[in-house]
Amino acid sequence: MQFLNPWLALGLLAVSIPIIIHILTRQTGKTVDWGAILFLRDSLVIRNRRIRLEEALLMAARCLLLALLAMALARPFIPPGSNTPWFAVLPLFFIGAVSLGIGVVLWDLVKWRWILLIGGIAALLLCAALVWFEKVFNLSRFSKGGRQDIALIVDASTSMALRYDGQSNFQRAIEEVRTIVKRSPRGNSFSLILGGPTPSARILTPTSDREFLLQQLEDVRPLEGEMAAYDCLTLASLGLAQGSNPAKQIVVITDGQNVGWETNKPARWAFLKDAFENLPSTPQVIVREMPLPSNFRNVSLADISFSRDIVGVDRPVKISVTVENTGTEAVSPRQVELEVDGRKLVDETLGQMMPGTKETLYFTHQFEAPGAHEVRSQVFVDDEIEQDNTSTSALNIVRKLRVLLVDGNAGGRFFDRATSFAALALAPGTTITAPGSDPDGEEAMRFLVDPEVVSAIDLTQMPALGQYDTVILADVPRMPREVTENLESFVNQGGGLLIAAGQRASSEFYNSWVSQDGLPVMPAKLIEPVVPNPNKDPITASLETFRHPSVRVVANRRESDLETGSFAHYWRLKENTGVDAIVGGRLNNGDPYITARKIGLGNLVLLGSSLDLRSGNLPSRQAFVPFIHELVYFLANPGNFDLNLAPKWELVLHLAGNEHAFSGHGLRGEYFASRGDREPKVTRIDPAIQFNWRGGSPASGIPQDNFKIRWTGRIQAPRSAKYKFRAEADDYLTVYIDGRDVLRAEYGRSHRMRDVWLDANRLHDIRIEYQEDKSNAQAILYWESRDLQRQIVPTSAFRSVTGKEEDVIATYRVTGPAGEKRIAKIEATAGGAVAKIQGDVAAGTYQIHVPDDQREKFNELLGDERDTIPFTVKRDPAESRLQPLTNPDKEFLANYIGLVQPQTPEDVIQILNGKSFGEELWKYLALAALFFLLLEVALSRWIATSRQMAQDQRIKFDATEAPGDGFEKQLKQVKKNSVAAA
């Protein structure tokens, strides 16, 4: 607590006036030696106690009255974030003043006198100490009016667009920023940051050019999405670090929404606290909360979702649109519109929505063309936030899903084979057409899944599986090591693997299948085969336990007959320990049937039975077809394109798979004209290290002698094993794998060769340095392993990908939600091409423009006729619910930042100008003074009445031994006559 008029606080000395008057007018007692008065002593003692009590009450009332009047004139106030509450300071002062006054009244009582006097002085000293503590340790946080660097953060989230009284909170915030800039003392510098899903630094380095700052405020607008408060404050600290003034302040103008403040992540805020403390002065975070109306109307589009993760052109997809009433009043939207590929679908069935309710509407649409598509929905309603009435989503329509079915019984008759029913379920054949369509025409039925059936022996002859989305092992007994390593690499890079364990499956093989890190590959062990007794209760699938995403849709189907299928043979499974495996479905006897785990970027699912009639009648059920399809969709999903991104400073969008030309086979070669040069003369991609320049130049502009070359990139082995590198070098060649030198060669011979383990499932860093002195020049690199004869390292083993800036192979134009122009850097990575877009982003739809000469590289996303790739940045639906920061949230933030919460724009200006401000208490003190004035008058009247002032009381003594009145008169007459005779 502090005082706006501290000099008027000297009026508190008036409390001593009634004390001094009491001392001056106090009457001392007289000693009466008359023995007859002793019988009145007890009654006089009782009366003296009553008089002291009356005087003590009257003194307390007068002291409090004068103290309250003087305190009110001094105008005490409570600064924001005060560490000294007023209910501790004021009572201490009043207790001290009253104790001193009463102590004087009870001066004759030595014990109570010193207790009250010492207690009163202690209370006053403690009160003064608390005020001093507030002044030094709390108010010292605020500027003293000197030059400052001030970071202005304006909340530009969706909720700031809420309009009431004809103006939005965002407009009010901009007006307050203008006021702050105009009224701030000269010499202050400002930075300006718009708070959205990622902060937008309109001015990062603080500037004192106020005209430029005010001009920047002219074209700002709210952004879609929430305000990422932590990112905004971090960016503000970076800007303040570039300012020249020693004093730092941060002003945040917001509506106080809790979305985006991340109060559940203390580690991030602890890091921000350290960043603030590294500035020349620790800034205070002045949070000015804009008022929100108590009642408002708002309906938002919360979500757009699809009934399947994998959507093709083969059949319609159900699109769900969720609408939520986030306001405080009932609202009746007129209609909801869904727009897909220029076609508009309208739903007018949405009735009155009560506050806090959600409604989901369903639309059905069949996409005609593959590639990336944008889906846009809008609710037509009159409410206070227009920005959240629309929502967009993007998805890739798959042309084909390539599924490889590996048959473990390929030599049997068609319906005895392990893959026949699965292949028919995935694609019945091109002879089946849509009703009424031409079998040979364009209207022939289209199938999304393109299955290919091979035998287990054929699988050993397939070195690469990257062309497939999913591999199904149907009752495959066992596989050689090179096949298992190939499958592991396939799943690690995003492929899906389904293993249907039938009668021919070898439990010994599958249970001993471990990866390079020594962990089991399978999610469960094959314990023993089970052949149920047909005369007892059949073993069926328990649909209520089918909770895995791959089969959840089938389990939720109405009238599904999957549960009527019985098993004639299955494997009893047991989850593997040490791996993150889950049971996705069980049989009706409790045995696990579906187990799954994630490996790298892909998924592996294990079924406890085969997919043919030898394991039961499951393939004859109608639900078998969607059952197989949903498994394939789930397993192929990791390789699908995710076109809906969370807001980040750097958006990363995957554009092409790992087989794409952008993978960058070969190594990046840097050619230096001299062995002492630091900058290369020529840079190019070399397919392999297989050069014999003899006496010639290795590249244009490079001399024949005294040059050097540095090749960098990645290397991937075909099989996981220990490899040994050899070289033919003239003059010097050194090979580094993951930073370790594994080979040094010179003058045609290799030495210091070290075995190095290369994992087939990862790309290892490789750096090769070559130096030429004079005469002939040669550089040839070989490798060999236990299963690989010595050979030149092939081009397919190299990747010119380093994860550095030089991996940028192109730049494409990007159009944002409001038509703003951006740039996407296309980079080559081990997983294919990615587009990286840096900078502030808003929620909405973005379009990547692909040049004509690059179209063929993105056929999966562009389809046949498109030249742009749409993707979206999602908005958090909670942003529309207007949930404010709670007191616990603010207490959490106060632990890491100097949080100050002014109530008015004037308070913000007072802080920046170094003046006192806060919540004033004089009104409450004036009301209390009035109360004690009335109390003092009442006490005075009561005491005056009880003592019966102005009455002359006489005491008459009568005694039986004393002479009577006649005798006294005669005695007086005798005395008079005697005097006269004399």
Side-chain angles (χ1 to χ4, degrees):
M1 190 186 75
Q2 292 294 305
F3 301 95
L4 291 176
N5 299 324
W7 290 107
L8 291 182
L10 294 175
L12 297 173
L13 297 176
V15 177
S16 63
I17 295 175
I19 298 175
I20 295 173
I21 292 175
H22 176 81
I23 294 173
L24 295 178
T25 60
R26 183 177 58 184
Q27 295 181 356
T28 60
K30 296 182 179 180
T31 302
V32 179
D33 295 329
W34 188 21
I37 203 66
L38 295 178
F39 75 96
L40 296 176
R41 180 172 297 174
D42 292 339
S43 63
L44 292 176
V45 169
I46 295 173
R47 180 170 177 81
N48 287 337
R49 289 177 181 173
R50 180 178 177 180
I51 291 173
R52 284 194 180 97
L53 177 61
E54 293 170 349
E55 290 180 349
L57 291 176
L58 191 59
M59 178 66 73
R62 290 170 176 172
C63 289
L64 286 175
L65 172 61
L66 294 173
L68 288 168
L69 289 174
M71 190 72 77
L73 292 175
R75 294 179 64 187
F77 70 96
I78 306 171
S82 174
N83 297 318
T84 307
W86 65 270
F87 52 80
V89 177
L90 289 180
L92 281 174
F93 173 76
F94 294 140
I95 289 173
V98 170
S99 297
L100 291 178
I102 296 177
V104 174
V105 172
L106 303 180
W107 191 265
D108 293 335
L109 302 178
V110 178
K111 177 181 177 181
W112 286 105
R113 176 180 67 192
W114 291 113
I115 290 177
L116 291 171
L117 292 178
I118 294 175
I121 294 172
L124 293 176
L125 291 176
L126 181 58
C127 175
L130 290 175
V131 173
W132 176 82
F133 176 84
E134 186 79 62
K135 183 72 174 178
V136 174
F137 295 101
N138 190 31
L139 292 184
S140 61
R141 301 177 302 159
F142 307 119
S143 170
K144 304 304 179 185
R147 293 188 175 185
Q148 309 168 75
D149 291 327
I150 303 170
L152 300 171
I153 301 176
V154 180
D155 186 350
S157 61
T158 302
S159 61
M160 287 290 284
L162 185 145
R163 300 183 66 88
Y164 68 96
D165 294 339
Q167 194 177 28
S168 70
N169 267 340
F170 184 76
Q171 293 171 328
R172 292 184 177 90
I174 295 300
E175 290 301 321
E176 289 198 10
V177 170
R178 288 194 178 98
T179 302
I180 291 171
V181 172
K182 292 178 180 178
R183 296 182 56 183
S184 180
R186 291 295 172 182
N188 286 350
S189 298
F190 297 90
S191 59
L192 178 62
I193 298 172
L194 289 185
T198 60
S200 174
R202 296 305 178 94
I203 301 175
L204 183 59
T205 303
T207 177
S208 58
D209 187 347
R210 305 193 180 201
E211 293 299 326
F212 175 68
L213 178 60
L214 294 175
Q215 184 180 0
Q216 290 293 313
L217 295 172
E218 295 297 329
D219 58 348
V220 295
R221 60 177 181 83
L223 304 174
E224 282 285 341
E226 73 278 7
M227 180 182 75
Y230 172 84
D231 294 334
C232 291
L233 293 172
T234 301
L235 184 61
S237 68
L238 295 177
L240 292 177
Q242 301 175 22
S244 57
N245 295 321
K248 311 292 182 181
Q249 296 282 18
I250 298 177
V251 178
V252 182
I253 303 180
T254 176
D255 57 4
Q257 275 244 65
N258 62 1
V259 178
W261 282 89
E262 301 179 291
T263 54
N264 59 340
K265 298 180 179 179
R268 286 170 62 87
W269 290 98
F271 179 82
L272 181 63
K273 179 181 179 181
D274 293 338
F276 281 0
E277 291 176 351
N278 288 327
L279 293 172
S281 65
T282 303
Q284 297 305 300
V285 181
I286 305 165
V287 179
R288 162 78 175 113
E289 292 187 15
M290 307 299 295
L292 290 174
S294 57
N295 294 306
F296 64 96
R297 294 163 50 90
N298 189 57
V299 173
S300 68
L301 271 172
D303 184 44
I304 299 177
S305 59
F306 304 90
S307 59
R308 301 193 306 277
D309 292 329
I310 300 293
V311 180
V313 296
D314 58 327
R315 54 189 168 128
V317 62
K318 183 181 293 184
I319 305 174
S320 304
V321 177
T322 302
V323 183
E324 181 178 4
N325 184 353
T326 62
T328 60
E329 300 179 8
V331 182
S332 298
R334 296 188 296 275
Q335 67 181 37
V336 176
E337 180 181 275
L338 184 75
E339 182 177 355
V340 188
D341 296 335
R343 178 186 175 190
K344 294 184 178 181
L345 306 174
V346 178
D347 190 305
E348 298 179 347
T349 63
L350 197 61
Q352 187 183 53
M353 298 183 65
M354 301 304 293
T357 59
K358 291 183 180 180
E359 297 288 345
T360 301
L361 305 178
Y362 299 97
F363 301 85
T364 301
H365 178 76
Q366 182 166 0
F367 291 89
E368 299 294 331
H373 292 254
E374 176 191 359
V375 177
R376 183 178 184 272
S377 184
Q378 180 177 1
V379 56
F380 291 85
V381 64
D382 296 325
D383 59 5
E384 271 72 39
I385 304 179
E386 297 180 0
Q387 278 76 359
D388 60 4
N389 292 346
T390 60
S391 181
T392 59
S393 184
L395 77 163
N396 184 50
I397 306 304
V398 181
R399 188 188 302 271
K400 288 291 183 181
L401 284 181
R402 296 154 298 183
V403 179
L404 179 66
L405 293 101
V406 183
D407 200 320
N409 187 33
R413 294 180 302 175
F414 181 77
F415 286 109
D416 291 336
R417 298 171 189 170
T419 58
S420 297
F421 289 95
L424 287 173
L426 292 174
T430 57
T431 59
I432 301 178
T433 58
S437 63
D438 181 5
D440 299 324
E442 295 181 357
E443 297 299 323
M445 182 175 289
R446 296 169 292 183
F447 297 102
L448 173 62
V449 181
D450 182 15
E452 178 184 346
V453 180
V454 300
S455 67
I457 297 177
D458 294 335
L459 185 63
T460 62
Q461 308 300 319
M462 304 177 66
L465 299 172
Q467 59 181 312
Y468 301 103
D469 297 294
T470 302
V471 174
I472 300 177
L473 301 181
D475 201 14
V476 175
R478 58 176 62 244
M479 295 170 288
R481 180 180 176 183
E482 57 268 21
V483 174
T484 59
E485 291 178 350
N486 199 12
L487 286 170
E488 286 181 57
S489 177
F490 167 72
V491 178
N492 266 295
Q493 295 178 14
L497 177 61
L498 173 64
I499 300 176
Q503 297 178 15
R504 298 167 58 88
S506 169
S507 59
E508 178 186 359
F509 165 75
Y510 285 104
N511 293 342
S512 61
W513 186 1
V514 295
S515 59
Q516 297 296 336
D517 54 11
L519 295 176
V521 171
M522 304 291 288
K525 291 182 179 180
L526 307 180
I527 302 302
E528 60 180 357
V530 179
V531 180
N533 188 339
N535 297 323
K536 294 185 177 181
D537 292 337
I539 302 299
T540 63
S542 177
L543 291 187
E544 62 268 16
T545 67
F546 278 37
R547 294 293 179 261
H548 192 266
S550 61
V551 291
R552 189 180 299 151
V553 173
V554 178
N556 289 338
R557 284 178 176 269
R558 294 180 179 178
E559 301 179 358
S560 173
D561 63 349
L562 188 67
E563 205 166 21
T564 65
S566 60
F567 291 90
H569 176 279
Y570 72 91
W571 280 92
R572 180 168 286 124
L573 305 178
K574 182 180 179 181
E575 293 176 81
N576 263 322
T577 59
V579 297
D580 189 15
I582 60 173
V583 175
R586 296 180 181 271
L587 302 176
N588 61 351
N589 63 356
D591 286 343
Y593 178 65
I594 300 173
T595 58
R597 64 166 298 203
K598 192 170 185 63
I599 302 177
L601 300 176
N603 286 300
L604 188 156
V605 174
L606 170 64
L607 299 182
S609 72
S610 63
L611 301 173
D612 54 48
L613 293 175
R614 291 175 299 162
S615 290
N617 63 358
L618 187 65
S620 65
R621 305 296 93 181
Q622 293 182 0
F624 180 74
V625 173
F627 175 70
I628 296 298
H629 275 261
E630 293 300 328
L631 282 169
V632 170
Y633 294 159
F634 168 77
L635 291 169
N637 189 44
N640 195 28
F641 300 101
D642 185 4
L643 301 177
N644 300 290
L645 307 179
K648 294 181 179 178
W649 176 257
E650 182 180 68
L651 299 175
V652 179
L653 181 69
H654 289 270
L655 298 177
N658 57 3
E659 275 202 297
H660 202 275
F662 280 158
S663 296
H665 287 292
L667 294 177
R668 174 185 172 88
E670 296 174 300
Y671 291 74
F672 298 83
S674 171
R675 293 170 61 177
D677 287 355
R678 294 186 177 182
E679 296 296 330
K681 186 77 172 179
V682 176
T683 300
R684 69 188 188 191
I685 302 298
D686 290 330
I689 309 302
Q690 187 181 3
F691 300 101
N692 190 353
W693 298 290
R694 299 184 184 276
S697 170
S700 177
I702 305 299
Q704 299 176 359
D705 298 317
N706 197 35
F707 63 85
K708 68 176 180 179
I709 307 173
R710 180 170 61 230
W711 289 284
T712 55
R714 306 282 181 89
I715 186 170
Q716 185 174 24
R719 298 182 180 89
S720 298
K722 287 185 177 180
Y723 287 79
K724 188 185 295 293
F725 288 88
R726 299 180 182 273
E728 295 178 10
D730 188 356
D731 291 310
Y732 308 98
L733 185 142
T734 306
V735 178
Y736 299 87
I737 302 292
D738 293 332
R740 175 191 176 195
D741 60 320
V742 299
L743 171 66
R744 292 188 179 183
E746 59 179 309
Y747 300 115
R749 66 181 187 276
S750 300
H751 64 91
R752 196 175 179 177
M753 296 177 294
R754 296 178 177 176
D755 290 342
V756 58
W757 178 269
L758 297 182
D759 191 340
N761 296 323
R762 58 167 290 198
L763 293 172
H764 298 266
D765 290 330
I766 184 171
R767 186 174 87 250
I768 304 172
E769 296 182 353
Y770 172 81
Q771 295 183 7
E772 163 63 7
D773 283 343
K774 58 183 179 179
S775 187
N776 293 332
Q778 183 183 27
I780 303 176
L781 183 64
Y782 302 86
W783 66 359
E784 61 185 32
S785 70
R786 185 185 63 180
D787 301 323
L788 182 68
Q789 294 182 352
R790 179 181 176 184
Q791 63 176 220
I792 296 174
V793 182
T795 302
S796 60
F798 291 126
R799 297 288 190 278
S800 58
V801 177
T802 63
K804 300 178 181 178
E805 186 67 25
E806 56 264 23
D807 292 330
V808 177
I809 54 180
T811 56
Y812 293 168
R813 291 186 301 108
V814 179
T815 303
E820 65 272 19
K821 304 301 180 184
R822 308 290 292 276
I823 293 295
K825 294 181 179 180
I826 311 301
E827 297 185 5
T829 69
V834 299
K836 293 185 177 181
I837 306 169
Q838 293 182 341
D840 55 286
V841 298
T845 302
Y846 294 76
Q847 301 282 347
I848 298 180
H849 300 267
V850 181
D852 292 339
D853 59 347
Q854 302 287 317
R855 282 179 47 82
E856 69 281 359
K857 298 180 179 179
F858 303 103
N859 284 334
E860 292 184 75
L861 288 170
L862 289 174
D864 300 324
E865 300 179 356
R866 301 174 183 272
D867 58 0
T868 60
I869 301 174
F871 71 94
T872 70
V873 175
K874 303 302 292 182
R875 180 184 69 239
D876 190 343
E879 173 64 22
S880 299
R881 296 173 190 150
L882 299 183
Q883 295 294 327
L885 285 166
T886 62
N887 288 331
D889 292 336
K890 295 175 182 178
E891 291 174 1
F892 168 85
L893 296 172
N895 292 328
Y896 301 97
I897 58 177
L899 187 63
V900 183
Q901 296 177 267
Q903 301 300 314
T904 65
E906 188 64 29
D907 289 343
V908 178
I909 296 172
Q910 291 280 63
I911 297 175
L912 299 180
N913 291 350
K915 297 180 180 179
S916 301
F917 74 103
E919 182 182 358
E920 294 193 45
L921 304 175
W922 68 269
K923 296 179 182 179
Y924 311 108
L925 297 175
L927 291 175
L930 177 61
F931 170 78
F932 278 100
L933 175 61
L934 298 176
L935 180 62
E936 195 275 341
V937 173
L939 282 173
S940 299
R941 294 293 300 167
W942 174 68
I943 292 172
T945 302
S946 65
R947 294 185 183 181
Q948 296 183 359
M949 292 182 177
Q951 291 186 6
D952 184 14
Q953 297 183 0
R954 298 179 180 179
I955 299 176
K956 183 177 181 181
F957 297 94
D958 291 327
T960 57
E961 299 84 358
D965 290 339
F967 176 76
E968 289 182 358
K969 290 181 180 179
Q970 291 178 2
L971 182 59
K972 289 180 180 179
Q973 186 63 36
V974 171
K975 289 181 178 180
K976 182 177 180 182
N977 295 332
S978 300
V979 171

